[in-house]
Amino acid sequence: MSIRPGEHAGPELGPTVRVPAHVGIIMDGNGRWAAARGLPRLEGHRRGVEALRRTVRAAIDVGVRYLTVYSFSSENWARPAQEISDLMGLLRRFIRNDLADLHRNGVRIKIIGERDGLAPDICSLLLEAEDLTRNNGGLTLIVAFNYGGRQELVMALQKIARKIAARVLTSADLTPELVAQHLETAGIPDPDLVIRTSGEQRMSNFLLWQAAYAELVFLPIHWPDFDRAAFDLALMQFAVRERRFGGVTGKTAPLTVKTAS
Ligand code: FPP
């Protein structure tokens, strides 16, 4: 079953389906997908890039406004050197091969994560992708690369601490909104839905602050197998959940409402 703009998702959902404005994805299970087939881990990551392409198309189709994908975590440096080099190579190829197409489709690219420690040519590619697509008005694709939620929060607090030391701010100014404004995701709405594949059920340092009220959907498939049907399943789970944001009654989340025509 698929959810398309202007259609309803199924009889159980009634005539409208709520599409999350911002979806985060922990793309997990590439290695296990490959191992189960007797293939090298790199093949799992390659197929993971294909799944990412499919997912960007699906997100555009259903009207998701922001898609954040966890591509390389701060902790992934602990992997064997060859695998790290393979993942860097895939990022290079993804940007070189897909940037023009993403741009044509109105996708705005934003990269979050630490740039220090990345090869200079990768930093240039990341900047090129952001610069070229800066003014696009379609889907915002946020690639979390060399990213860690705790590290992002520490950096934000360091920026704030420097402003307090310089008397630009006082400690009384420190609010959740101020912290959010100093994160790399400043200006981007918090994720409404976080999907993790591979059956693991944890956040692994992904958007820790931003996902405070996200609905979590854990799927028992590995990332290379993630397809439109799996995406729709996650969207449908999201659509039927009641989001209370700590309150007692349902409130309207920042959602795109697709009305049946
Ligand atoms: C988790 O699988 C996945 C990653 C650490 C990297 C995700 C990367 C991709 C989907 C491809 C690269 C995309 C870009 C844009 C560079 P895992 O290796 O942890 O799998 P396992 O837990 O089964 O070992």
Side-chain angles (χ1 to χ4, degrees):
M1 185 185 299
S2 67
I3 304 172
R4 295 191 179 283
E7 286 181 5
H8 62 83
E12 71 279 17
L13 293 178
T16 62
V17 61
R18 305 180 308 149
V19 174
H22 184 172
V23 177
I25 306 189
I26 303 176
M27 310 182 288
D28 194 15
N30 295 347
R32 276 163 286 171
W33 182 93
R37 289 159 180 79
L39 297 169
R41 291 176 63 83
L42 174 58
E43 192 51 32
H45 294 313
R46 278 205 195 106
R47 297 291 286 264
V49 175
E50 287 172 21
L52 175 58
R53 285 194 189 103
R54 286 197 292 275
T55 305
V56 169
R57 269 195 304 273
I60 294 172
D61 273 3
V62 298
V64 165
R65 301 295 305 155
Y66 300 86
L67 176 68
T68 303
V69 292
Y70 205 8
S71 300
F72 191 88
S73 80
S74 316
E75 288 70 38
N76 284 155
W77 293 105
R79 294 188 175 212
Q82 183 59 51
E83 182 166 351
I84 292 173
S85 152
D86 289 341
L87 285 166
M88 297 292 162
L90 284 176
L91 177 68
R92 281 188 185 93
R93 246 166 289 149
F94 177 67
I95 294 181
R96 286 194 189 121
N97 295 340
D98 291 52
L99 181 57
D101 199 40
L102 291 167
H103 185 44
R104 247 194 318 277
N105 284 297
V107 174
R108 178 167 69 116
I109 297 175
K110 181 171 171 58
I111 319 288
I112 57 172
E114 189 54 62
R115 305 278 168 114
D116 286 353
L118 297 180
D121 73 304
I122 291 199
C123 291
S124 307
L125 279 171
L126 300 183
L127 278 178
E128 182 191 336
E130 289 181 321
D131 282 348
L132 179 69
T133 62
R134 186 172 305 282
N135 297 317
N136 288 345
L139 173 76
T140 298
L141 173 64
I142 301 141
V143 180
F145 198 86
N146 196 18
Y147 173 85
R150 287 182 173 180
Q151 290 86 334
E152 182 194 26
L153 191 52
V154 167
M155 303 266 278
L157 295 176
Q158 284 173 344
K159 281 187 222 157
I160 294 170
R162 281 195 291 273
K163 289 184 186 174
I164 292 175
R167 298 181 190 280
V168 176
L169 294 173
T170 72
S171 59
D173 294 320
L174 190 50
T175 60
E177 291 72 27
L178 187 83
V179 173
Q181 284 161 17
H182 286 78
L183 295 172
E184 291 192 78
T185 52
I188 294 171
D190 286 343
D192 306 291
L193 166 67
V194 171
I195 301 168
R196 182 174 188 147
T197 55
S198 92
E200 307 289 349
Q201 302 194 358
R202 55 179 173 270
M203 292 301 286
S204 298
N205 212 6
F206 180 61
L207 300 180
L208 291 183
W209 175 279
Q210 298 88 334
Y213 286 100
E215 293 295 329
L216 307 180
V217 170
F218 300 104
L219 297 176
I221 56 166
H222 294 313
W223 176 249
D225 288 330
F226 190 83
D227 59 7
R228 182 59 192 262
F231 194 40
D232 286 356
L233 186 71
L235 292 177
M236 277 191 270
Q237 287 197 30
F238 172 83
V240 295
R241 290 196 192 165
E242 186 197 5
R243 303 184 76 202
R244 292 194 297 276
F245 298 92
V248 289
T249 56
K251 290 182 186 170
T252 306
L255 305 167
T256 308
V257 177
K258 301 283 176 190
T259 309
S261 50

